[in-house]
């Protein structure tokens, strides 16, 4: 879903109420007070395309893991040269390998272990990498139904923290009846191929400083050079693994984990980008699907510009709703005599010409940082009051609030200025899914459909370049069909800017037996965050295999 734009959005989600990860992950935990960002959204150097970012599936976030000696060993061998594009209609059969996981008790009903999988499933006896898998055992052995796979979004979110926080992500019926299994997908967290392209002190250079609306050829060329520089840093860091980090291979990894667990069928609950991963898995391995729920479902068409258009329009609609609400409410600190929209437009223009201070030692707050702050705040209307204050402060020359929201999007630790590798993983996975590598001129022509259409949230005036400097994908993301997988419940919320309701509806339509459930809410993701109505629907299907009737709306 990489398209033209000033930054990349991802389809992520997560939780900020996390337990302690296993010692070998040495995870850096960032709570909601310091980082409320999703991962399905990412500003990419030069102005790249977008995925969708996530809020909390049940709070929000994930552990951003640093490398360790074990992680260094997670890539057992260097990947060979990129293979030819795989035939995604008939995926390679992972049964060519015998998969196993030796679990160690990690406490609190959770165990964890490593599984070795091929780098390239077309060459199962070739190079391999290791994935870190965790499991929260069903709290009621007598009522245990089986295994529930889960993924918290991204792409790029390490999901192995989810079983440690099972009570935060899932309601009691699921925790009681299922072994909840998650893993750090390839390219993320502590698993093999984990992508770490840039140092912490380079983030501002790539994400905060660029001018997203260049007015001269020289300024545009600077963005192109930055994109090429960033891509080369990823090539240097990850090498020949980069083309193999896409969603297709992650779906195949899911089946390898299923085999290692000795399960004929498993259930699935995926959030945001996790919906895309689950839909590809259900398409590749339909006979192994017991039941699946996709919350905040991304658009199924990975290759077209339509998903990005819908996402941009979703953010713009949400922000316009915020501005309308502020204009109608004199108590809103950005009220501006009932013209919050006009005040924001003037502020955005001013920041392009005259950026303002935000924090000592950090870049001045420019148009791109302001737009990023808005995107971060749109994931949930719980963040709208913070945006009101930040915009009001910015009109008085203080950009600290906007910079803090922007930093939350990137999960910057305000104490030490460190970042996890979530953003780099997101970019690498997205590019591995992307079938095309365009010239700069082709990217700019493709961007013409976007430029000016959503000026408040996406003021960028160039195309997306980053993926075009990445190596070609070995296996672009497959078409989603869900044929023979049975009913799959798809959840969309009316005010979701990240995976707009139209995108979730398109996912339900693409699946052979997709059933769309709509939730009336101004946020990304619904399960565990909105009403008992949607929680009951999820539980009834995953536990009792009773799918909802089409057309249900929860409010």
């Amino acid at each position: 879903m990489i398209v033209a734009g000033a930054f990349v959005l991802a389809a992520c989600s997560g939780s900020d109420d996390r337990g302690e990860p296993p010692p070998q992950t040495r995870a850096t935990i960032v709570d909601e007070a310091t980082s409320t960002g999703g991962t399905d959204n990412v500003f990419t150097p030069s102005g790249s395309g977008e995925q969708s970012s996530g809020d909390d599936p049940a709070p929000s976030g994930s552990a951003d893991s640093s490398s360790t000696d074990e992680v260094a060993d997670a890539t057992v061998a260097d990947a060979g040269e990129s293979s030819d594009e795989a035939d995604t209609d008939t995926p390679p059969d992972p049964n060519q390998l015998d998969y196993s996981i030796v679990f160690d008790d990690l406490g609190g009903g959770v165990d964890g272990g490593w599984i070795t999988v091929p780098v390239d499933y077309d060459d199962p006896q070739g190079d391999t990498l290791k994935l870190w898998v965790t499991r929260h055992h069903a709290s009621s052995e007598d009522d245990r139904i089986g295994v529930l796979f889960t993924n918290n979004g991204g792409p790029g979110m390490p999901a192995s923290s989810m079983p440690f926080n099972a009570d935060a992500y899932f309601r009691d019926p699921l925790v009681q009846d299922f072994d909840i299994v998650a893993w750090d997908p390839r390219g993320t967290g502590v698993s093999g191929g984990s992508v770490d392209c840039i140092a912490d002190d380079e983030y501002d250079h790539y994400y905060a400083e660029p001018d997203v609306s260049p007015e001269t050829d020289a300024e545009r060329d600077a963005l192109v050079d930055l994109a090429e520089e960033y891509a080369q840093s990823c090539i240097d860091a990850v090498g020949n693994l980069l083309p193999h980090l896409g969603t297709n291979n992650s779906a195949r990894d899911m089946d390898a984990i299923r085999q290692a667990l000795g399960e004929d069928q498993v259930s699935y609950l995926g959030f945001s980008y996790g919906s895309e991963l689950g839909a590809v898995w259900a398409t590749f391995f339909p006979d192994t699907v017991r039941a699946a729920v996709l919350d905040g479902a991304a658009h199924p068409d990975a290759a077209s510009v339509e998903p990005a258009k819908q996402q941009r329009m979703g953010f713009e609609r949400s922000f316009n709703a915020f501005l309308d609400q502020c204009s109608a409410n004199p108590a809103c600190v950005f009220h501006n005599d009932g013209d919050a929209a006009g005040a924001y437009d003037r502020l955005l223009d001013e920041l392009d010409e005259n950026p303002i201070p935000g924090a000592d030692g950090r870049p001045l707050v420019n148009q791109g940082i302001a737009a990023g702050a808005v995107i971060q705040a749109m994931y949930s209307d719980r963040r709208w009051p913070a945006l009101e204050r930040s915009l009001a402060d910015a009109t008085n020359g203080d950009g600290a609030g906007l910079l803090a929201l922007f930093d939350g999007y990137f999960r910057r630790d305000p104490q030490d200025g460190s970042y996890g590798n979530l953003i780099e993983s997101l970019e690498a996975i997205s590019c591995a899914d992307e079938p095309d590598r365009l010239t700069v001129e082709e990217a700019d022509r493709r961007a013409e459909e976007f430029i000016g259409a959503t000026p408040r949230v996406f003021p960028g005036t160039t195309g997306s370049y980053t993926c075009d400097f990445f190596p070609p994908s070995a296996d672009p993301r497959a078409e989603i069909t869900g044929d023979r997988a049975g009913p799959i419940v798809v959840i969309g919320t009316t005010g979701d800017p990240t995976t707009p309701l139209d995108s979730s509806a398109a996912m339900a339509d693409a699946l052979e037996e997709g059933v769309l459930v709509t939730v009336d809410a101004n946020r990304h993701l619904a399960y565990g965050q909105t009403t008992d109505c949607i929680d009951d629907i999820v539980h009834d299907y995953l536990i009792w295999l009773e799918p909802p009737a089409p057309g249900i709306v929860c409010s």
Side-chain angles (χ1 to χ4, degrees):
M1 289 164 54
I2 294 294
V3 296
F7 19 75
V8 147
L9 294 167
C12 110
S13 89
S15 162
D16 289 299
D17 182 7
R18 280 152 283 176
E20 187 65 25
Q24 55 264 60
T25 67
R26 283 196 212 152
T28 299
I29 304 300
V30 183
D31 66 21
E32 191 164 45
T34 61
S35 168
T36 55
T39 331
D40 289 7
N41 44 329
V42 154
F43 295 70
T44 58
S46 90
S48 177
E50 52 221 73
Q51 293 275 325
S52 52
S53 168
D55 196 21
D56 8 21
S60 124
S62 89
D64 293 328
S65 306
S66 60
S67 62
T68 67
D69 291 340
E70 284 197 63
V71 176
D73 293 337
T75 303
V76 177
D78 290 336
E81 294 300 320
S82 301
S83 66
D84 292 335
E85 180 176 330
D87 180 359
T88 53
D89 290 330
T90 54
D93 182 1
N95 284 305
Q96 297 171 79
L97 289 183
D98 183 16
Y99 300 105
S100 63
I101 304 173
V102 177
F103 284 100
D104 292 323
D105 185 4
L106 302 174
V110 178
D111 52 19
W114 296 92
I115 184 173
T116 299
V117 297
V119 168
D120 181 355
Y121 279 90
D122 276 336
D123 184 17
Q125 303 302 326
D127 299 323
T128 60
L129 53 79
K130 292 182 180 180
L131 307 177
W132 175 244
V133 182
T134 57
R135 173 177 59 185
H136 182 284
H137 290 273
S139 59
S140 174
E141 186 62 33
D142 291 339
D143 295 327
R144 181 186 181 276
I145 293 172
V147 167
L148 177 69
F149 280 172
T150 188
N151 179 273
N152 53 351
M157 297 281 280
S160 63
S161 63
M162 296 180 76
F164 290 92
N165 299 279
D167 290 333
Y169 280 95
F170 310 100
R171 296 294 177 253
D172 287 344
L174 299 187
V175 176
Q176 174 177 297
D177 292 352
F178 288 97
D179 291 346
I180 297 172
V181 175
W183 62 100
D184 290 353
R186 57 174 61 203
T188 77
V190 300
S191 287
S194 185
V195 180
D196 192 0
C197 303
I198 57 178
D200 290 341
D201 60 5
E202 295 179 305
Y203 260 71
D204 283 341
H205 171 62
Y206 285 107
Y207 299 115
E209 295 174 358
D211 182 352
V212 299
S213 56
E215 297 170 348
T216 67
D217 288 344
E219 290 174 343
R220 197 284 303 266
D221 290 344
L223 292 183
V224 174
D225 292 343
L226 192 65
E228 184 172 14
E229 176 187 325
Y230 175 86
Q232 187 59 52
S233 70
C234 290
I235 294 169
D236 293 342
V238 185
N240 290 328
L241 280 172
L242 274 178
H244 300 277
L245 298 181
T247 302
N248 291 349
N249 280 328
S250 282
R252 294 170 183 132
D253 293 340
M254 291 174 65
D255 196 65
I257 296 170
R258 176 196 64 79
Q259 292 179 54
L261 295 174
E263 300 285 336
D264 292 332
Q265 290 187 320
V266 295
S267 301
Y268 182 77
L269 174 52
F271 301 99
S272 199
Y273 163 79
S275 66
E276 184 178 352
L277 174 59
V280 172
W281 163 71
T283 297
F284 280 4
F285 305 104
D287 295 335
T288 72
V289 180
R290 175 183 172 273
V293 176
L294 312 180
D295 186 3
H299 198 287
D301 189 349
S304 78
V305 299
E306 186 61 28
K309 288 173 61 178
Q310 290 189 7
Q311 187 184 63
R312 285 167 174 257
M313 293 173 65
F315 275 101
E316 192 87 355
R317 282 194 299 269
S318 293
F319 186 48
N320 285 336
F322 161 86
L323 293 171
D324 289 344
Q325 178 175 298
C326 188
S327 293
N329 179 14
C332 174
V333 294
F334 195 63
H335 179 64
N336 283 280
D337 297 324
D339 186 21
Y344 175 79
D345 293 342
R346 291 188 294 273
L347 173 64
L348 200 62
D349 288 342
E350 180 64 21
L351 291 177
D352 190 32
E353 297 296 326
N354 299 296
I356 60 178
D360 291 342
R362 300 292 305 284
L364 295 176
V365 173
N366 56 19
Q367 198 177 59
I369 290 175
V374 168
I375 289 171
Q376 169 70 345
M378 290 303 103
Y379 282 108
S380 171
D381 54 12
R382 292 179 302 175
R383 299 175 186 169
W384 289 10
L387 181 61
E388 293 175 16
R389 295 190 297 271
S390 299
L391 291 173
D393 290 343
T395 60
N396 294 316
D398 179 2
L402 292 178
L403 182 61
L405 283 167
F406 177 87
D407 285 344
Y409 181 94
F410 289 96
R411 300 178 177 232
R412 181 180 188 270
D413 187 329
Q415 303 302 316
D416 61 13
S418 63
Y419 298 83
N421 64 342
L422 171 62
I423 300 309
E424 295 106 304
S425 294
L426 180 150
E427 187 68 26
I429 294 168
S430 299
C431 292
D433 281 351
E434 172 63 41
D436 300 322
R437 297 295 182 263
L438 306 178
T439 65
V440 169
E441 293 73 22
E442 289 171 336
D444 283 341
R445 285 196 296 273
R446 191 179 189 184
E448 290 175 359
E449 293 191 50
F450 304 97
I451 295 171
T454 52
R456 287 179 173 145
V457 184
F458 295 94
T461 58
T462 70
S464 166
Y465 310 123
T466 303
C467 285
D468 299 319
F469 293 110
F470 268 62
S473 171
D475 192 9
R477 212 217 67 194
E479 178 185 1
I480 288 171
T481 65
D483 290 351
R484 305 193 335 275
I488 295 178
V489 175
V490 179
I491 304 171
T493 60
T494 55
D496 186 345
T498 311
T499 52
L501 182 57
D502 288 347
S503 293
S504 297
M507 175 67 83
D509 288 342
L511 295 165
E512 183 179 54
E513 295 186 55
V515 181
L516 178 67
V517 179
T518 301
V519 179
D520 187 10
N522 286 319
R523 60 169 297 113
H524 179 48
L525 306 181
Y527 174 75
Q529 298 294 303
T530 53
T531 71
D532 290 341
C533 168
I534 193 61
D535 293 354
D536 291 343
I537 287 172
V538 171
H539 298 157
D540 285 347
Y541 183 47
L542 290 178
I543 294 171
W544 303 105
L545 299 180
E546 296 177 358
I552 289 180
V553 178
C554 292
S555 59

